[in-house]
């Protein structure tokens, strides 16, 4: 695992923990990349996209899950735990393990991927014309017909 990857995970966890709560769900997957979206209000928008590139393994809830932001939420397991998990899950060399701590569950979200990136745009789930910098419409949003 590179120092850059560790720094990215710390940045993402800091963004998440700036909120009183934070929920997550699978945004998309194309067989290679997995996008996890995060929000404080999934009815209207999401404000975090974490993209896992070249995913080898994922144990994830497809329905929304929540995390306790008073504690670390998005982490890299310690070396001994990572070794054990790599062995147990048969993760091949070259993939890093990432964990989302899930509130009110014994099962955390675990992803093994070659790399990660993230975006903090606010992605709106409703049509709006006056988008500010750092805002965009979800790909499913279309301009309403006006008569």
């Amino acid at each position: 695992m590179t120092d850059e990857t560790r720094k990215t995970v710390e940045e993402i966890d800091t963004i998440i923990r700036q909120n009183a709560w934070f929920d997550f769900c699978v945004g998309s997957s194309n067989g290679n990349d997995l996008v996890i979206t995060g929000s404080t209000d999934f009815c209207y928008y999401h404000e975090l996209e974490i993209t896992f590139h070249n995913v080898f393994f994922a144990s994830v809830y497809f329905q929304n899950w929540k995390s306790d932001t008073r504690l670390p939420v998005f982490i890299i397991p310690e070396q001994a735990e990572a070794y054990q998990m790599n062995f147990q899950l048969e993760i091949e060399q070259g993939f890093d393990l990432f964990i989302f701590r899930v509130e009110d569950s014994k099962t955390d979200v675990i992803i093994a991927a070659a790399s990660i990136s993230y975006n903090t745009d606010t992605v709106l789930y409703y049509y709006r014309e006056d988008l500010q910098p750092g805002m965009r419409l979800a790909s499913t949003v279309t301009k309403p017909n006006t008569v």
Side-chain angles (χ1 to χ4, degrees), residues 53-57 86 91-98 112-114:
H53 305 279
N54 193 15
V55 175
F56 179 80
F57 174 88
N86 280 326
I91 306 299
E92 292 181 2
Q93 190 172 353
F95 296 94
D96 295 323
L97 282 173
F98 305 93

Side-chain angles (χ1 to χ4, degrees), residues 45-106:
Y45 59 86
H46 67 259
E47 54 210 316
L48 178 63
E49 294 173 332
I50 306 167
T51 303
F52 297 86
H53 305 279
N54 193 15
V55 175
F56 179 80
F57 174 88
S59 174
V60 61
Y61 296 97
F62 279 80
Q63 298 294 320
N64 294 2
W65 75 89
K66 58 185 176 178
S67 294
D68 184 351
T69 58
R70 295 171 296 173
L71 304 168
V73 172
F74 186 56
I75 65 167
I76 298 167
E78 296 294 328
Q79 188 171 2
E81 182 183 12
Y83 178 80
Q84 179 183 6
M85 291 174 71
N86 280 326
F87 182 76
Q88 177 186 6
L89 300 172
E90 300 179 2
I91 306 299
E92 292 181 2
Q93 190 172 353
F95 296 94
D96 295 323
L97 282 173
F98 305 93
I99 298 175
F100 287 93
R101 297 289 186 205
V102 179
E103 185 176 355
D104 299 331
S105 176
K106 294 178 183 176

Side-chain angles (χ1 to χ4, degrees), residues 5 10 37 74 90 92-93 95 123 126 131:
T5 299
E10 290 172 6
T37 58
F74 186 56
E90 300 179 2
E92 292 181 2
Q93 190 172 353
F95 296 94
V123 181
Y126 59 91
L131 296 175

Side-chain angles (χ1 to χ4, degrees), residues 97-128:
L97 282 173
F98 305 93
I99 298 175
F100 287 93
R101 297 289 186 205
V102 179
E103 185 176 355
D104 299 331
S105 176
K106 294 178 183 176
T107 306
D108 291 327
V109 168
I110 302 168
I111 301 169
S115 63
I116 61 170
S117 61
Y118 70 98
N119 184 306
T120 57
D121 285 352
T122 298
V123 181
L124 303 174
Y125 300 158
Y126 59 91
Y127 184 76
R128 179 174 166 176

